[in-house]
Amino acid sequence: MSSNIKRVRAQVGLDEINSYMDNLSDVLKDIPPSRIWNYDETNLSDDPGNKKVICKRGMKYVEKICNFSKSSTSVMFCGNAESKCLPPYVVYKAENMWTTWTEGGPEHARYNRTKSGWFDSMTFEDWFEFSFLKEVKHEKAPTVLIGDNLSSHINVRVLELCEQNNIKFVCLPPNTTHITQPLDVTFFGPMKKIWRSILTT
């Protein structure tokens, strides 16, 4: 099955990827795997999606009963090259936060909300300071954090905290996350498959 990608993604060339990899190699020199971290957010909806089924030949409309809404929730994941994962950071689409939304989740998960349901500058800063920094600041060795270059992920406060705590912030090249973002390439696919299976059940 082919995948649709936008024209700007298709235009990414070998020079851009090689330049990024050369820079990354320099940054990662002498950094142990436990100090190399990668973050990314993804969106989870309550729609399990379509599924192959057995039906009579010639049937045009094969339906299954399944309640779902158009709302979705953003979740930030972060792991290091030693395979350690931080507790997820969940952002709901809502005006207000309800305590029941924080019950029964993964241990030490942190919760927030925005009008759009996506991460903004404030929620990213909160994740960085109270989830990521809390994990890495007890060591004085340099830390590398790899992620996308969304404007909502980079603000003055985050950069100041990076400088104060010896954290090197590495941005992925624009329009390349489908091939350069480790969490996108290897983690989110299997996770969403399990997520859809849970919804179906």
Side-chain angles (χ1 to χ4, degrees), residues 42-46 71-75 90-93 112 117-118:
T42 190
N43 207 253
L44 298 176
S45 74
D46 60 359
S71 67
S72 55
T73 304
S74 293
V75 186
V90 182
V91 175
Y92 293 107
K93 182 181 179 179
N112 213 323
W118 289 97

Side-chain angles (χ1 to χ4, degrees), residues 37-63:
W37 293 84
N38 172 226
Y39 73 86
D40 196 17
E41 65 189 82
T42 190
N43 207 253
L44 298 176
S45 74
D46 60 359
D47 181 359
N50 299 329
K51 191 177 182 183
K52 288 184 179 179
V53 295
I54 297 172
C55 63
K56 289 181 181 180
R57 186 188 300 272
M59 284 188 70
K60 289 184 178 180
Y61 305 104
V62 182
E63 298 171 336

Side-chain angles (χ1 to χ4, degrees), residues 36-117:
I36 303 170
W37 293 84
N38 172 226
Y39 73 86
D40 196 17
E41 65 189 82
T42 190
N43 207 253
L44 298 176
S45 74
D46 60 359
D47 181 359
N50 299 329
K51 191 177 182 183
K52 288 184 179 179
V53 295
I54 297 172
C55 63
K56 289 181 181 180
R57 186 188 300 272
M59 284 188 70
K60 289 184 178 180
Y61 305 104
V62 182
E63 298 171 336
K64 64 176 180 179
I65 299 169
C66 176
N67 290 334
F68 63 93
S69 67
K70 291 184 178 180
S71 67
S72 55
T73 304
S74 293
V75 186
M76 178 72 80
F77 288 95
C78 185
N80 68 11
E82 218 174 41
S83 76
K84 180 175 183 177
C85 284
L86 296 183
Y89 188 105
V90 182
V91 175
Y92 293 107
K93 182 181 179 179
E95 292 284 344
N96 300 296
M97 190 76 175
W98 298 91
T99 54
T100 51
W101 295 356
T102 66
E103 296 170 358
E107 192 175 2
H108 304 303
R110 191 169 173 89
Y111 301 88
N112 213 323
R113 52 109 204 111
T114 61
K115 285 185 179 180
S116 64

Side-chain angles (χ1 to χ4, degrees), residues 171-188:
C171 288
L172 299 168
N175 304 309
T176 67
T177 54
H178 62 301
I179 53 176
T180 58
Q181 170 54 267
L183 286 167
D184 251 1
V185 175
T186 61
F187 189 86
F188 289 156

Side-chain angles (χ1 to χ4, degrees), residues 127-198:
W127 169 80
F128 185 89
E129 190 167 359
F130 296 103
S131 294
F132 178 70
L133 200 57
K134 187 178 176 183
E135 173 69 27
V136 303
K137 71 177 181 180
H138 59 277
E139 294 184 36
K140 290 184 179 179
T143 300
V144 175
L145 180 61
I146 304 168
D148 55 41
N149 62 349
L150 287 176
S151 58
S152 61
H153 290 172
I154 303 170
N155 64 29
V156 174
R157 174 67 177 152
V158 169
L159 295 177
E160 284 175 350
L161 289 170
C162 284
E163 195 166 330
Q164 291 166 14
N165 294 277
N166 201 7
I167 296 169
K168 300 176 181 179
F169 206 121
V170 177
C171 288
L172 299 168
N175 304 309
T176 67
T177 54
H178 62 301
I179 53 176
T180 58
Q181 170 54 267
L183 286 167
D184 251 1
V185 175
T186 61
F187 189 86
F188 289 156
M191 183 199 74
K192 287 191 175 183
K193 188 175 180 182
I194 294 169
W195 171 251
R196 287 190 290 269
S197 175
I198 291 168

